[in-house]
Amino acid sequence: MFRILLIFSILILSLSIVFTMYRVIIGPSLPDRIIAMDCIGINLLAIMAILSILLRTYAFFDVILLFGILSFIGTVAFSRFIERRALVDYDRNK
Amino acid sequence: MGLKNDVILQTVTKVAVFIILAFSIHLFIGGHHNPGGGFVGGLAVVSAFTLLLLAFDLKSLRAGLIINFEILAIVGVLIAVCTGMSSLLFNEPFLNQIFGTINLPILGETEFATAVIFDTGVAFAVLGTALSIITTISEDICKWRQ
């Protein structure tokens, strides 16, 4: 029963990734696309967590943390790009 | 240009950088038996510095990190090659490793392997290469925009 519940929740999360892909591809503006990409990252994280419950293993915990860090940095870089049109300043007080 | 106010990003970065650096040390140490190792540990350190570079600027990162990244990459490759070659001195195959357990006061039985030194070299090489690429490209873009 618990196993069926976990598989069902993985299916629902994959369905939500499919619907978010619509917003990534057809999104009217750039911020929509960036938020949709962040949402896909968080859904993938949840799928990995449920998979590690399903397979009864600790091996995915490092992957989950590293993926969360990389997704956060990617979202920050994209949103900085649409705000400033430059990723890195040489001197921010100038 | 309008007023630049990055208070939220800079405050989050000041906390998150230390979490990422601690996690990268965890990845580096656990690389002997678990997923991880020098390559991923070095890349996690690079991601922490990239977050610092996004929230602050290149000048303050250069002021904080006084090491030259290209020299760091060269030293890392040198460490990795020398640890690989050192097993040839004892009539063993290339990249052979030995390990032993030592009784430490607090940690108890601790395993030490010579592969950690090789991993340190790999981590230095990855860190130096990736950081020199990122800082060089962003510096060029900053000069080009001015």
Side-chain angles (χ1 to χ4, degrees), chain A residues 62 65-66 69 72-73 76-77 80 84-92, chain B residues 4 6 9-10 20 23 26 40 47 54 56-60 138 142 145:
Chain A
D62 289 345
L65 208 51
L66 198 61
I69 290 167
F72 172 67
I73 291 175
V76 166
R80 195 188 155 91
R84 301 268 172 81
R85 293 283 156 192
L87 278 185
V88 177
D89 294 334
Y90 183 70
D91 191 355
R92 69 178 189 280
Chain B
K4 290 176 183 174
D6 283 345
L9 180 62
Q10 287 175 1
I20 299 172
F23 177 61
H26 165 76
V40 189
S47 72
L54 287 173
F56 298 96
D57 51 359
L58 195 61
K59 200 178 166 190
S60 41
S138 52
C142 291
R145 288 169 72 87

Side-chain angles (χ1 to χ4, degrees), chain B residues 7-86:
Chain B
V7 178
I8 297 174
L9 180 62
Q10 287 175 1
T11 313
V12 167
T13 300
K14 277 175 195 166
V15 180
V17 159
F18 286 103
I19 298 173
I20 299 172
L21 286 176
F23 177 61
S24 73
I25 290 171
H26 165 76
L27 273 178
F28 177 73
I29 297 291
H32 199 58
H33 294 299
N34 296 317
F39 192 85
V40 189
L43 280 183
V45 174
V46 171
S47 72
F49 288 146
T50 310
L51 188 60
L52 271 182
L53 209 57
L54 287 173
F56 298 96
D57 51 359
L58 195 61
K59 200 178 166 190
S60 41
L61 189 84
R62 284 265 168 84
L65 286 172
I66 47 172
I67 42 174
N68 191 349
F69 302 127
E70 290 147 19
I71 291 175
L72 190 72
I74 294 167
V75 166
V77 173
L78 204 67
I79 289 173
V81 172
C82 285
T83 18
M85 296 287 268
S86 66

Side-chain angles (χ1 to χ4, degrees), chain A residues 6-7 12 18 22 33 35 49-50 56 60 72 74 78 90:
Chain A
L6 289 176
I7 291 172
I12 289 177
V18 171
Y22 172 80
R33 291 196 171 99
I35 290 172
I50 292 172
R56 293 178 182 279
F60 292 137
F72 172 67
F78 265 121
Y90 183 70

Side-chain angles (χ1 to χ4, degrees), chain A:
Chain A
M1 184 63 207
F2 189 57
R3 196 183 158 78
I4 295 168
L5 212 65
L6 289 176
I7 291 172
F8 189 67
S9 60
I10 284 181
L11 277 178
I12 289 177
L13 283 169
S14 346
L15 206 67
S16 85
I17 285 181
V18 171
F19 286 132
T20 321
M21 280 302 287
Y22 172 80
R23 195 47 72 189
V24 173
I25 295 167
I26 320 203
S29 64
L30 204 52
D32 286 334
R33 291 196 171 99
I34 291 164
I35 290 172
M37 292 286 274
D38 196 35
C39 187
I40 285 178
I42 287 168
N43 279 329
L44 275 176
L45 251 160
I47 286 178
M48 275 191 267
I50 292 172
L51 208 65
S52 71
I53 298 172
L54 198 64
L55 299 176
R56 293 178 182 279
T57 174
Y58 297 118
F60 292 137
F61 285 3
D62 289 345
V63 184
I64 290 169
L65 208 51
L66 198 61
F67 191 83
I69 290 167
L70 291 182
S71 162
F72 172 67
I73 291 175
T75 310
V76 166
F78 265 121
S79 44
R80 195 188 155 91
F81 176 73
I82 62 168
E83 196 184 318
R84 301 268 172 81
R85 293 283 156 192
L87 278 185
V88 177
D89 294 334
Y90 183 70
D91 191 355
R92 69 178 189 280
N93 294 322
K94 227 183 248 178

Side-chain angles (χ1 to χ4, degrees), chain B residues 76-99:
Chain B
V77 173
L78 204 67
I79 289 173
V81 172
C82 285
T83 18
M85 296 287 268
S86 66
S87 61
L88 294 176
L89 294 176
F90 302 101
N91 265 334
E92 298 282 341
F94 181 60
L95 287 175
N96 204 11
Q97 64 139 348
I98 51 169
F99 63 95

Side-chain angles (χ1 to χ4, degrees), chain B residues 115-130:
Chain B
V116 177
I117 309 171
F118 178 76
D119 249 4
T120 313
V122 173
F124 279 173
V126 170
L127 217 160
T129 312

